[in-house]
Amino acid sequence: MTICFDINSDLAFRLRQISRRDNTSEESLINQLIQEYINSNDIKNPQISDKEFRQYQRVDVSIPAIIEINMSDNETQYKPVTIINISAGGARIRVDGKASRIMDNFRKQTPFTMTFCVASLSQIVQILCKPIYSTISTVIEIGTSFQNIPLSLRETLQQQFR
């Protein structure tokens, strides 16, 4: 699995220095740091449930949606996505097709608008989303948090997706 994120130049410089000093690759050093962090925070403990980490419980779904992304060159990109899990606080989406032009926006956590239909209500919903993380393997998945949504919509999502 590939996970993309940006670090500031000072951290990048220090990472390079340590990897050279320890005669290891930067990737290996990052893997080691993440493993140590996970071990020290007991995240792998099966006693700790997903519920304890999330304010709103996620529900697995398969909902087609469209995202609207404002690019740095003042162009707007529309991409079909599939919502693969959702809660009142966010969603994980799978980008359908190629997404190389928009990946930079995801890495920079640039907000975008997502439009989808809540079928049980026959209601079209449009929500401002902030990318939190992205994973790239055979498909691209983006974890998002919903931004500035009205309480009534949050409550509707909470009722519909339990």
Side-chain angles (χ1 to χ4, degrees):
M1 173 187 346
T2 301
I3 300 175
C4 300
F5 57 92
D6 292 323
I7 60 174
N8 67 43
S9 57
D10 290 336
L11 282 176
F13 178 73
R14 290 169 56 198
L15 180 68
R16 275 188 224 102
Q17 283 183 317
I18 293 169
S19 68
R20 286 183 188 137
R21 181 195 71 199
D22 294 351
N23 198 28
T24 187
S25 70
E26 292 169 18
E27 180 180 347
S28 177
L29 182 57
I30 289 171
N31 282 332
Q32 178 186 349
L33 292 169
I34 291 171
Q35 187 64 55
E36 287 173 8
Y37 179 82
I38 288 172
N39 289 344
S40 70
N41 286 284
D42 206 23
I43 290 175
K44 68 180 178 182
N45 184 341
Q47 303 294 330
I48 300 174
S49 70
D50 187 43
K51 211 173 212 174
E52 294 177 47
F53 289 104
R54 297 195 180 279
Q55 184 175 1
Y56 305 102
Q57 189 62 29
R58 294 271 174 116
V59 175
D60 290 337
V61 295
S62 182
I63 301 172
I66 297 288
I67 59 174
E68 177 184 337
I69 305 158
N70 295 318
M71 305 297 285
S72 58
D73 59 2
N74 293 327
E75 179 185 352
T76 302
Q77 287 275 314
Y78 296 90
K79 284 298 273 180
V81 299
T82 302
I83 302 170
I84 57 177
N85 73 36
I86 191 167
S87 74
R92 187 168 77 205
I93 61 174
R94 181 172 294 137
V95 180
D96 301 332
K98 293 183 179 182
S100 55
R101 289 209 55 222
I102 59 175
M103 280 309 297
D104 196 40
N105 283 40
F106 292 145
R107 284 187 203 100
K108 292 178 182 174
Q109 296 186 322
T110 305
F112 60 88
T113 303
M114 181 167 61
T115 305
F116 61 97
C117 180
V118 179
S120 58
L121 300 175
S122 299
Q123 177 182 356
I124 293 181
V125 176
Q126 193 170 50
I127 299 177
L128 182 65
C129 299
K130 178 182 179 185
I132 301 301
Y133 67 87
S134 60
T135 59
I136 304 169
S137 56
T138 55
V139 295
I140 297 170
E141 293 184 357
I142 311 297
T144 68
S145 68
F146 296 151
Q147 306 291 299
N148 307 320
I149 68 171
L151 182 59
S152 61
L153 178 55
R154 192 175 302 275
E155 288 171 349
T156 298
L157 291 173
Q158 204 163 7
Q159 289 172 1
Q160 294 302 308
F161 302 108
R162 297 183 207 205

